[in-house]
Amino acid sequence: MLLTIREVAERLKISLSMAYALVSRGDLTCYEIGSCKRVKESDLESFLEQRRIEPRIRLPKRGRHF
């Protein structure tokens, strides 16, 4: 399914201008149909997976040695 840039912004909970910036920078792949830009759902999912940050392993805090 193809999403509008507005729908992308809503799904990512970002501003419309930020969504357009992601497309214009080439960070998010889009399709131009006439003057309209559309993003495939699978491209949006790939975009998100590429930016996934795995949680760090936290080491236990050591007590102070006085």
Side-chain angles (χ1 to χ4, degrees):
M1 177 174 191
L2 295 175
L3 304 170
T4 65
I5 302 300
R6 183 176 301 278
E7 290 170 330
V8 169
E10 289 170 359
R11 287 189 182 200
L12 296 178
K13 302 206 182 329
I14 60 175
S15 68
L16 186 57
S17 61
M18 180 62 172
Y20 273 108
L22 290 172
V23 168
S24 67
R25 286 194 312 242
D27 293 339
L28 182 58
T29 304
C30 80
Y31 299 88
E32 285 188 328
I33 304 168
S35 62
C36 302
K37 294 182 188 294
R38 298 289 185 263
V39 176
K40 259 174 52 175
E41 281 188 88
S42 59
D43 289 336
L44 180 59
E45 290 171 16
S46 295
F47 168 79
L48 290 174
E49 282 301 314
Q50 291 170 1
R51 280 146 186 83
R52 182 181 179 142
I53 299 173
E54 295 295 327
R56 292 183 180 175
I57 297 173
R58 299 182 93 181
L59 299 175
K61 291 185 178 181
R62 296 183 179 182
R64 295 184 179 187
H65 300 278
F66 291 106

Short mmCIF file of all heavy atoms in Angstrom, two decimals:
data_model
loop_
_atom_site.label_atom_id
_atom_site.label_comp_id
_atom_site.label_asym_id
_atom_site.label_seq_id
_atom_site.Cartn_x
_atom_site.Cartn_y
_atom_site.Cartn_z
N MET A 1 0.84 -1.18 0.00
CA MET A 1 0.00 0.00 0.00
C MET A 1 0.88 1.25 0.00
O MET A 1 1.92 1.29 0.65
CB MET A 1 -0.90 -0.02 1.22
CG MET A 1 -1.76 1.19 1.36
SD MET A 1 -2.89 0.97 2.73
CE MET A 1 -3.94 2.32 2.44
N LEU A 2 0.47 2.25 -0.72
CA LEU A 2 1.22 3.51 -0.78
C LEU A 2 0.63 4.52 0.21
O LEU A 2 -0.59 4.63 0.35
CB LEU A 2 1.17 4.09 -2.19
CG LEU A 2 1.87 3.27 -3.26
CD1 LEU A 2 1.65 3.89 -4.63
CD2 LEU A 2 3.36 3.15 -2.98
N LEU A 3 1.52 5.22 0.89
CA LEU A 3 1.13 6.23 1.88
C LEU A 3 1.47 7.62 1.37
O LEU A 3 2.48 7.80 0.69
CB LEU A 3 1.89 6.00 3.19
CG LEU A 3 1.77 4.63 3.83
CD1 LEU A 3 2.77 4.50 4.97
CD2 LEU A 3 0.36 4.40 4.34
N THR A 4 0.65 8.58 1.72
CA THR A 4 1.00 9.97 1.43
C THR A 4 2.06 10.42 2.43
O THR A 4 2.27 9.77 3.46
CB THR A 4 -0.23 10.89 1.55
OG1 THR A 4 -0.66 10.89 2.92
CG2 THR A 4 -1.36 10.45 0.64
N ILE A 5 2.69 11.54 2.14
CA ILE A 5 3.69 12.07 3.07
C ILE A 5 3.02 12.46 4.39
O ILE A 5 3.58 12.25 5.47
CB ILE A 5 4.43 13.28 2.45
CG1 ILE A 5 5.11 12.87 1.13
CG2 ILE A 5 5.46 13.84 3.42
CD1 ILE A 5 6.12 11.76 1.25
N ARG A 6 1.81 12.94 4.32
CA ARG A 6 1.05 13.28 5.53
C ARG A 6 0.82 12.03 6.39
O ARG A 6 0.98 12.06 7.61
CB ARG A 6 -0.27 13.94 5.18
CG ARG A 6 -1.08 14.37 6.40
CD ARG A 6 -2.35 15.11 6.03
NE ARG A 6 -2.09 16.31 5.26
CZ ARG A 6 -1.74 17.49 5.79
NH1 ARG A 6 -1.58 17.61 7.09
NH2 ARG A 6 -1.54 18.52 5.01
N GLU A 7 0.47 10.92 5.75
CA GLU A 7 0.26 9.67 6.48
C GLU A 7 1.56 9.17 7.10
O GLU A 7 1.56 8.65 8.22
CB GLU A 7 -0.34 8.61 5.56
CG GLU A 7 -1.77 8.91 5.16
CD GLU A 7 -2.29 8.01 4.06
OE1 GLU A 7 -1.48 7.54 3.21
OE2 GLU A 7 -3.51 7.77 4.05
N VAL A 8 2.66 9.33 6.39
CA VAL A 8 3.97 8.97 6.93
C VAL A 8 4.26 9.79 8.18
O VAL A 8 4.67 9.26 9.21
CB VAL A 8 5.08 9.16 5.87
CG1 VAL A 8 6.47 9.06 6.50
CG2 VAL A 8 4.92 8.16 4.73
N ALA A 9 4.03 11.09 8.09
CA ALA A 9 4.26 11.98 9.24
C ALA A 9 3.40 11.57 10.43
O ALA A 9 3.88 11.54 11.56
CB ALA A 9 3.98 13.43 8.84
N GLU A 10 2.16 11.23 10.16
CA GLU A 10 1.26 10.82 11.25
C GLU A 10 1.73 9.52 11.89
O GLU A 10 1.72 9.38 13.11
CB GLU A 10 -0.16 10.67 10.73
CG GLU A 10 -0.81 11.99 10.39
CD GLU A 10 -2.14 11.85 9.66
OE1 GLU A 10 -2.57 10.71 9.38
OE2 GLU A 10 -2.74 12.90 9.34
N ARG A 11 2.15 8.57 11.07
CA ARG A 11 2.61 7.28 11.61
C ARG A 11 3.88 7.42 12.43
O ARG A 11 4.06 6.74 13.43
CB ARG A 11 2.84 6.28 10.49
CG ARG A 11 1.55 5.77 9.91
CD ARG A 11 1.78 4.63 8.98
NE ARG A 11 0.52 4.20 8.40
CZ ARG A 11 0.33 3.03 7.86
NH1 ARG A 11 1.32 2.17 7.79
NH2 ARG A 11 -0.84 2.71 7.35
N LEU A 12 4.78 8.29 11.97
CA LEU A 12 6.03 8.50 12.70
C LEU A 12 5.90 9.52 13.82
O LEU A 12 6.84 9.71 14.59
CB LEU A 12 7.13 8.95 11.72
CG LEU A 12 7.54 7.95 10.65
CD1 LEU A 12 8.60 8.56 9.74
CD2 LEU A 12 8.04 6.66 11.26
N LYS A 13 4.75 10.19 13.87
CA LYS A 13 4.50 11.24 14.86
C LYS A 13 5.56 12.34 14.77
O LYS A 13 6.17 12.74 15.75
CB LYS A 13 4.41 10.66 16.26
CG LYS A 13 3.32 9.61 16.39
CD LYS A 13 2.81 9.50 17.77
CE LYS A 13 1.76 8.44 17.96
NZ LYS A 13 0.87 8.10 16.94
N ILE A 14 5.78 12.79 13.51
CA ILE A 14 6.70 13.88 13.24
C ILE A 14 5.95 14.93 12.44
O ILE A 14 4.83 14.68 11.97
CB ILE A 14 7.95 13.41 12.46
CG1 ILE A 14 7.56 12.79 11.11
CG2 ILE A 14 8.77 12.43 13.29
CD1 ILE A 14 8.73 12.41 10.23
N SER A 15 6.55 16.09 12.27
CA SER A 15 5.90 17.15 11.50
C SER A 15 5.89 16.80 10.02
O SER A 15 6.71 16.00 9.54
CB SER A 15 6.61 18.49 11.72
OG SER A 15 7.89 18.45 11.13
N LEU A 16 4.99 17.42 9.31
CA LEU A 16 4.90 17.22 7.87
C LEU A 16 6.18 17.69 7.19
O LEU A 16 6.70 17.02 6.29
CB LEU A 16 3.68 17.97 7.32
CG LEU A 16 3.34 17.77 5.86
CD1 LEU A 16 3.10 16.30 5.54
CD2 LEU A 16 2.11 18.60 5.50
N SER A 17 6.73 18.82 7.64
CA SER A 17 7.97 19.33 7.03
C SER A 17 9.14 18.38 7.28
O SER A 17 10.00 18.21 6.41
CB SER A 17 8.29 20.73 7.54
OG SER A 17 8.48 20.73 8.93
N MET A 18 9.18 17.71 8.43
CA MET A 18 10.24 16.74 8.70
C MET A 18 10.10 15.53 7.79
O MET A 18 11.09 15.01 7.28
CB MET A 18 10.20 16.31 10.17
CG MET A 18 11.26 15.32 10.54
SD MET A 18 12.89 16.03 10.29
CE MET A 18 13.91 14.79 10.99
N ALA A 19 8.87 15.10 7.54
CA ALA A 19 8.63 13.97 6.64
C ALA A 19 9.09 14.32 5.23
O ALA A 19 9.74 13.51 4.56
CB ALA A 19 7.17 13.58 6.66
N TYR A 20 8.76 15.53 4.78
CA TYR A 20 9.22 15.96 3.45
C TYR A 20 10.75 16.05 3.41
O TYR A 20 11.37 15.73 2.40
CB TYR A 20 8.61 17.31 3.07
CG TYR A 20 7.27 17.18 2.41
CD1 TYR A 20 6.10 17.56 3.07
CD2 TYR A 20 7.15 16.69 1.11
CE1 TYR A 20 4.86 17.43 2.46
CE2 TYR A 20 5.91 16.57 0.49
CZ TYR A 20 4.77 16.94 1.17
OH TYR A 20 3.55 16.81 0.57
N ALA A 21 11.37 16.47 4.50
CA ALA A 21 12.83 16.57 4.55
C ALA A 21 13.46 15.18 4.43
O ALA A 21 14.47 15.02 3.74
CB ALA A 21 13.27 17.25 5.84
N LEU A 22 12.89 14.17 5.08
CA LEU A 22 13.41 12.81 4.98
C LEU A 22 13.38 12.32 3.54
O LEU A 22 14.31 11.67 3.07
CB LEU A 22 12.59 11.86 5.87
CG LEU A 22 12.74 12.03 7.37
CD1 LEU A 22 11.73 11.15 8.10
CD2 LEU A 22 14.15 11.71 7.81
N VAL A 23 12.31 12.66 2.83
CA VAL A 23 12.17 12.26 1.43
C VAL A 23 13.14 13.04 0.55
O VAL A 23 13.84 12.47 -0.28
CB VAL A 23 10.71 12.45 0.96
CG1 VAL A 23 10.60 12.33 -0.55
CG2 VAL A 23 9.80 11.43 1.64
N SER A 24 13.22 14.34 0.75
CA SER A 24 14.08 15.17 -0.12
C SER A 24 15.56 14.87 0.08
O SER A 24 16.35 14.98 -0.86
CB SER A 24 13.79 16.66 0.08
OG SER A 24 14.18 17.06 1.36
N ARG A 25 15.96 14.47 1.31
CA ARG A 25 17.36 14.09 1.57
C ARG A 25 17.68 12.71 1.03
O ARG A 25 18.84 12.31 0.97
CB ARG A 25 17.64 14.09 3.07
CG ARG A 25 17.76 15.45 3.69
CD ARG A 25 18.36 15.37 5.08
NE ARG A 25 17.76 14.36 5.93
CZ ARG A 25 17.12 14.60 7.07
NH1 ARG A 25 16.99 15.83 7.51
NH2 ARG A 25 16.62 13.62 7.78
N GLY A 26 16.65 11.94 0.69
CA GLY A 26 16.86 10.58 0.21
C GLY A 26 16.93 9.56 1.32
O GLY A 26 17.26 8.40 1.07
N ASP A 27 16.64 9.96 2.55
CA ASP A 27 16.65 9.01 3.67
C ASP A 27 15.48 8.03 3.56
O ASP A 27 15.58 6.89 3.98
CB ASP A 27 16.55 9.75 5.01
CG ASP A 27 17.78 10.58 5.30
OD1 ASP A 27 18.85 10.30 4.71
OD2 ASP A 27 17.68 11.52 6.11
N LEU A 28 14.38 8.50 3.01
CA LEU A 28 13.16 7.70 2.88
C LEU A 28 12.80 7.65 1.39
O LEU A 28 12.60 8.68 0.77
CB LEU A 28 12.03 8.32 3.70
CG LEU A 28 10.69 7.61 3.71
CD1 LEU A 28 10.83 6.17 4.22
CD2 LEU A 28 9.71 8.37 4.58
N THR A 29 12.75 6.45 0.85
CA THR A 29 12.45 6.26 -0.56
C THR A 29 10.99 6.60 -0.85
O THR A 29 10.11 6.24 -0.06
CB THR A 29 12.71 4.79 -0.97
OG1 THR A 29 14.04 4.46 -0.65
CG2 THR A 29 12.47 4.57 -2.45
N CYS A 30 10.76 7.29 -1.95
CA CYS A 30 9.39 7.61 -2.32
C CYS A 30 9.20 7.43 -3.81
O CYS A 30 10.16 7.29 -4.56
CB CYS A 30 8.99 9.01 -1.89
SG CYS A 30 9.58 10.30 -2.98
N TYR A 31 7.95 7.45 -4.23
CA TYR A 31 7.58 7.35 -5.63
C TYR A 31 6.86 8.64 -6.00
O TYR A 31 6.03 9.12 -5.22
CB TYR A 31 6.64 6.16 -5.86
CG TYR A 31 7.28 4.84 -5.51
CD1 TYR A 31 7.21 4.35 -4.22
CD2 TYR A 31 7.98 4.13 -6.46
CE1 TYR A 31 7.82 3.15 -3.88
CE2 TYR A 31 8.59 2.93 -6.14
CZ TYR A 31 8.51 2.45 -4.85
OH TYR A 31 9.11 1.27 -4.51
N GLU A 32 7.19 9.19 -7.15
CA GLU A 32 6.50 10.38 -7.63
C GLU A 32 5.48 9.95 -8.67
O GLU A 32 5.83 9.32 -9.67
CB GLU A 32 7.47 11.38 -8.23
CG GLU A 32 8.26 12.12 -7.20
CD GLU A 32 9.08 13.25 -7.78
OE1 GLU A 32 9.52 13.12 -8.93
OE2 GLU A 32 9.26 14.25 -7.08
N ILE A 33 4.24 10.28 -8.41
CA ILE A 33 3.15 9.99 -9.34
C ILE A 33 2.55 11.34 -9.70
O ILE A 33 1.82 11.93 -8.90
CB ILE A 33 2.10 9.05 -8.71
CG1 ILE A 33 2.79 7.78 -8.23
CG2 ILE A 33 0.97 8.76 -9.68
CD1 ILE A 33 1.95 6.90 -7.35
N GLY A 34 2.94 11.84 -10.85
CA GLY A 34 2.58 13.21 -11.19
C GLY A 34 3.31 14.14 -10.25
O GLY A 34 4.53 14.06 -10.10
N SER A 35 2.58 14.98 -9.57
CA SER A 35 3.20 15.88 -8.59
C SER A 35 3.08 15.34 -7.17
O SER A 35 3.50 15.97 -6.21
CB SER A 35 2.55 17.26 -8.67
OG SER A 35 1.18 17.16 -8.35
N CYS A 36 2.51 14.14 -7.03
CA CYS A 36 2.31 13.53 -5.71
C CYS A 36 3.47 12.62 -5.35
O CYS A 36 4.05 11.96 -6.21
CB CYS A 36 1.02 12.71 -5.70
SG CYS A 36 -0.44 13.65 -6.11
N LYS A 37 3.81 12.59 -4.08
CA LYS A 37 4.84 11.69 -3.58
C LYS A 37 4.16 10.65 -2.71
O LYS A 37 3.29 10.97 -1.90
CB LYS A 37 5.88 12.45 -2.76
CG LYS A 37 6.68 13.44 -3.57
CD LYS A 37 7.73 14.11 -2.70
CE LYS A 37 8.43 15.23 -3.39
NZ LYS A 37 9.25 14.92 -4.48
N ARG A 38 4.56 9.39 -2.90
CA ARG A 38 4.00 8.29 -2.13
C ARG A 38 5.12 7.40 -1.62
O ARG A 38 6.16 7.23 -2.26
CB ARG A 38 3.05 7.45 -2.98
CG ARG A 38 1.84 8.20 -3.51
CD ARG A 38 0.87 8.52 -2.37
NE ARG A 38 -0.34 9.13 -2.86
CZ ARG A 38 -0.58 10.42 -2.89
NH1 ARG A 38 0.36 11.27 -2.48
NH2 ARG A 38 -1.73 10.91 -3.31
N VAL A 39 4.90 6.80 -0.44
CA VAL A 39 5.89 5.94 0.19
C VAL A 39 5.25 4.57 0.40
O VAL A 39 4.14 4.48 0.92
CB VAL A 39 6.34 6.53 1.55
CG1 VAL A 39 7.28 5.59 2.27
CG2 VAL A 39 6.98 7.89 1.35
N LYS A 40 5.96 3.52 -0.01
CA LYS A 40 5.48 2.16 0.22
C LYS A 40 5.62 1.84 1.71
O LYS A 40 6.60 2.23 2.34
CB LYS A 40 6.30 1.16 -0.59
CG LYS A 40 5.61 0.70 -1.83
CD LYS A 40 6.41 -0.18 -2.74
CE LYS A 40 7.07 -1.38 -2.19
NZ LYS A 40 7.70 -2.20 -3.25
N GLU A 41 4.65 1.13 2.25
CA GLU A 41 4.71 0.75 3.67
C GLU A 41 5.98 -0.05 3.96
O GLU A 41 6.60 0.15 5.00
CB GLU A 41 3.48 -0.07 4.05
CG GLU A 41 2.26 0.77 4.31
CD GLU A 41 1.12 -0.04 4.88
OE1 GLU A 41 1.06 -0.17 6.11
OE2 GLU A 41 0.31 -0.50 4.07
N SER A 42 6.37 -0.92 3.06
CA SER A 42 7.57 -1.73 3.29
C SER A 42 8.83 -0.85 3.30
O SER A 42 9.77 -1.14 4.05
CB SER A 42 7.70 -2.83 2.23
OG SER A 42 7.77 -2.27 0.93
N ASP A 43 8.84 0.22 2.51
CA ASP A 43 9.98 1.15 2.54
C ASP A 43 10.03 1.91 3.87
O ASP A 43 11.10 2.17 4.41
CB ASP A 43 9.91 2.14 1.38
CG ASP A 43 10.21 1.49 0.04
OD1 ASP A 43 10.89 0.44 0.02
OD2 ASP A 43 9.75 2.02 -0.99
N LEU A 44 8.86 2.25 4.40
CA LEU A 44 8.80 2.92 5.69
C LEU A 44 9.30 1.98 6.79
O LEU A 44 10.07 2.38 7.67
CB LEU A 44 7.38 3.40 5.99
CG LEU A 44 7.18 4.12 7.30
CD1 LEU A 44 8.05 5.36 7.41
CD2 LEU A 44 5.71 4.49 7.49
N GLU A 45 8.90 0.72 6.74
CA GLU A 45 9.36 -0.27 7.72
C GLU A 45 10.87 -0.46 7.63
O GLU A 45 11.55 -0.55 8.65
CB GLU A 45 8.63 -1.58 7.52
CG GLU A 45 7.17 -1.52 7.91
CD GLU A 45 6.38 -2.75 7.51
OE1 GLU A 45 7.02 -3.80 7.21
OE2 GLU A 45 5.15 -2.68 7.49
N SER A 46 11.41 -0.52 6.41
CA SER A 46 12.86 -0.66 6.23
C SER A 46 13.60 0.56 6.79
O SER A 46 14.64 0.41 7.44
CB SER A 46 13.21 -0.81 4.76
OG SER A 46 12.68 -2.00 4.24
N PHE A 47 13.05 1.74 6.54
CA PHE A 47 13.62 2.98 7.07
C PHE A 47 13.71 2.91 8.59
O PHE A 47 14.75 3.24 9.18
CB PHE A 47 12.74 4.16 6.63
CG PHE A 47 13.05 5.45 7.32
CD1 PHE A 47 14.12 6.22 6.93
CD2 PHE A 47 12.26 5.90 8.37
CE1 PHE A 47 14.40 7.42 7.57
CE2 PHE A 47 12.53 7.09 9.00
CZ PHE A 47 13.61 7.84 8.60
N LEU A 48 12.65 2.44 9.23
CA LEU A 48 12.64 2.35 10.68
C LEU A 48 13.64 1.30 11.19
O LEU A 48 14.35 1.54 12.17
CB LEU A 48 11.24 2.02 11.19
CG LEU A 48 10.22 3.14 11.04
CD1 LEU A 48 8.83 2.64 11.43
CD2 LEU A 48 10.61 4.33 11.88
N GLU A 49 13.69 0.16 10.53
CA GLU A 49 14.62 -0.90 10.96
C GLU A 49 16.07 -0.45 10.86
O GLU A 49 16.89 -0.82 11.69
CB GLU A 49 14.39 -2.18 10.16
CG GLU A 49 13.20 -2.97 10.61
CD GLU A 49 13.27 -3.40 12.07
OE1 GLU A 49 14.32 -3.89 12.53
OE2 GLU A 49 12.24 -3.21 12.76
N GLN A 50 16.40 0.34 9.85
CA GLN A 50 17.76 0.82 9.68
C GLN A 50 18.16 1.77 10.80
O GLN A 50 19.34 1.96 11.07
CB GLN A 50 17.91 1.55 8.34
CG GLN A 50 17.82 0.64 7.15
CD GLN A 50 17.72 1.42 5.85
OE1 GLN A 50 17.76 2.64 5.84
NE2 GLN A 50 17.59 0.70 4.75
N ARG A 51 17.20 2.38 11.45
CA ARG A 51 17.48 3.35 12.50
C ARG A 51 17.25 2.79 13.91
O ARG A 51 17.29 3.50 14.89
CB ARG A 51 16.62 4.60 12.30
CG ARG A 51 17.24 5.47 11.24
CD ARG A 51 16.24 6.19 10.42
NE ARG A 51 16.90 6.90 9.33
CZ ARG A 51 17.25 6.33 8.19
NH1 ARG A 51 17.01 5.07 7.96
NH2 ARG A 51 17.85 7.03 7.24
N ARG A 52 17.05 1.50 13.98
CA ARG A 52 16.80 0.86 15.27
C ARG A 52 18.07 0.85 16.11
O ARG A 52 19.15 0.55 15.62
CB ARG A 52 16.33 -0.58 15.03
CG ARG A 52 16.01 -1.31 16.28
CD ARG A 52 15.57 -2.71 15.94
NE ARG A 52 15.29 -3.42 17.15
CZ ARG A 52 14.32 -4.27 17.29
NH1 ARG A 52 13.55 -4.56 16.27
NH2 ARG A 52 14.13 -4.87 18.43
N ILE A 53 17.92 1.20 17.35
CA ILE A 53 19.04 1.22 18.29
C ILE A 53 18.78 0.13 19.33
O ILE A 53 17.76 0.14 20.02
CB ILE A 53 19.18 2.60 18.98
CG1 ILE A 53 19.45 3.67 17.94
CG2 ILE A 53 20.27 2.55 20.04
CD1 ILE A 53 19.43 5.07 18.50
N GLU A 54 19.71 -0.79 19.42
CA GLU A 54 19.57 -1.88 20.39
C GLU A 54 19.91 -1.35 21.78
O GLU A 54 20.79 -0.50 21.94
CB GLU A 54 20.52 -3.03 20.04
CG GLU A 54 20.18 -3.70 18.73
CD GLU A 54 18.84 -4.42 18.75
OE1 GLU A 54 18.44 -4.94 19.81
OE2 GLU A 54 18.19 -4.46 17.69
N PRO A 55 19.21 -1.85 22.80
CA PRO A 55 19.50 -1.39 24.16
C PRO A 55 20.90 -1.82 24.60
O PRO A 55 21.37 -2.89 24.22
CB PRO A 55 18.44 -2.06 25.02
CG PRO A 55 17.86 -3.15 24.19
CD PRO A 55 18.15 -2.82 22.76
N ARG A 56 21.53 -0.95 25.34
CA ARG A 56 22.86 -1.25 25.87
C ARG A 56 22.74 -2.10 27.12
O ARG A 56 21.78 -1.99 27.87
CB ARG A 56 23.60 0.03 26.25
CG ARG A 56 23.95 0.87 25.08
CD ARG A 56 24.72 2.07 25.56
NE ARG A 56 25.10 2.92 24.45
CZ ARG A 56 25.70 4.07 24.59
NH1 ARG A 56 25.98 4.53 25.80
NH2 ARG A 56 26.01 4.79 23.55
N ILE A 57 23.75 -2.92 27.35
CA ILE A 57 23.79 -3.71 28.57
C ILE A 57 24.37 -2.82 29.66
O ILE A 57 25.46 -2.25 29.51
CB ILE A 57 24.66 -4.97 28.39
CG1 ILE A 57 24.03 -5.86 27.32
CG2 ILE A 57 24.81 -5.71 29.71
CD1 ILE A 57 24.88 -7.05 26.94
N ARG A 58 23.62 -2.67 30.72
CA ARG A 58 24.09 -1.83 31.82
C ARG A 58 24.82 -2.68 32.84
O ARG A 58 24.30 -3.68 33.32
CB ARG A 58 22.91 -1.12 32.48
CG ARG A 58 22.18 -0.21 31.52
CD ARG A 58 21.08 0.48 32.21
NE ARG A 58 21.63 1.77 32.66
CZ ARG A 58 20.94 2.66 33.35
NH1 ARG A 58 19.71 2.41 33.70
NH2 ARG A 58 21.50 3.80 33.70
N LEU A 59 26.03 -2.26 33.14
CA LEU A 59 26.80 -2.96 34.17
C LEU A 59 26.37 -2.45 35.53
O LEU A 59 26.02 -1.28 35.68
CB LEU A 59 28.29 -2.70 33.95
CG LEU A 59 28.85 -3.19 32.61
CD1 LEU A 59 30.30 -2.76 32.47
CD2 LEU A 59 28.74 -4.70 32.52
N PRO A 60 26.40 -3.32 36.52
CA PRO A 60 26.03 -2.86 37.86
C PRO A 60 26.99 -1.79 38.36
O PRO A 60 28.20 -1.85 38.08
CB PRO A 60 26.11 -4.11 38.73
CG PRO A 60 26.75 -5.16 37.90
CD PRO A 60 26.76 -4.71 36.49
N LYS A 61 26.45 -0.82 39.05
CA LYS A 61 27.30 0.24 39.61
C LYS A 61 28.12 -0.32 40.76
O LYS A 61 27.65 -1.11 41.57
CB LYS A 61 26.45 1.39 40.10
CG LYS A 61 25.76 2.15 38.99
CD LYS A 61 25.05 3.36 39.54
CE LYS A 61 24.43 4.14 38.41
NZ LYS A 61 23.74 5.32 38.89
N ARG A 62 29.34 0.12 40.77
CA ARG A 62 30.21 -0.30 41.86
C ARG A 62 30.12 0.72 42.99
O ARG A 62 29.98 1.90 42.75
CB ARG A 62 31.66 -0.38 41.38
CG ARG A 62 31.85 -1.44 40.34
CD ARG A 62 33.29 -1.54 39.95
NE ARG A 62 33.46 -2.58 38.97
CZ ARG A 62 34.62 -2.92 38.47
NH1 ARG A 62 35.71 -2.30 38.85
NH2 ARG A 62 34.70 -3.88 37.57
N GLY A 63 30.24 0.23 44.18
CA GLY A 63 30.22 1.12 45.34
C GLY A 63 31.49 1.93 45.42
O GLY A 63 32.52 1.61 44.80
N ARG A 64 31.46 2.99 46.15
CA ARG A 64 32.66 3.82 46.33
C ARG A 64 33.63 3.16 47.27
O ARG A 64 33.24 2.53 48.24
CB ARG A 64 32.27 5.19 46.86
CG ARG A 64 31.45 5.95 45.87
CD ARG A 64 31.16 7.33 46.36
NE ARG A 64 30.39 8.07 45.36
CZ ARG A 64 30.11 9.30 45.42
NH1 ARG A 64 30.51 10.03 46.45
NH2 ARG A 64 29.41 9.88 44.48
N HIS A 65 34.88 3.31 46.97
CA HIS A 65 35.93 2.72 47.80
C HIS A 65 36.65 3.83 48.55
O HIS A 65 37.56 4.46 48.04
CB HIS A 65 36.94 1.95 46.92
CG HIS A 65 36.29 0.84 46.16
ND1 HIS A 65 36.03 -0.37 46.72
CD2 HIS A 65 35.82 0.77 44.89
CE1 HIS A 65 35.45 -1.16 45.83
NE2 HIS A 65 35.30 -0.47 44.70
N PHE A 66 36.23 4.06 49.79
CA PHE A 66 36.87 5.10 50.61
C PHE A 66 37.57 4.47 51.75
O PHE A 66 37.22 3.59 52.38
CB PHE A 66 35.84 6.11 51.14
CG PHE A 66 35.27 6.96 50.06
CD1 PHE A 66 33.99 6.80 49.58
CD2 PHE A 66 36.02 8.01 49.52
CE1 PHE A 66 33.46 7.60 48.62
CE2 PHE A 66 35.50 8.83 48.56
CZ PHE A 66 34.21 8.62 48.10
#
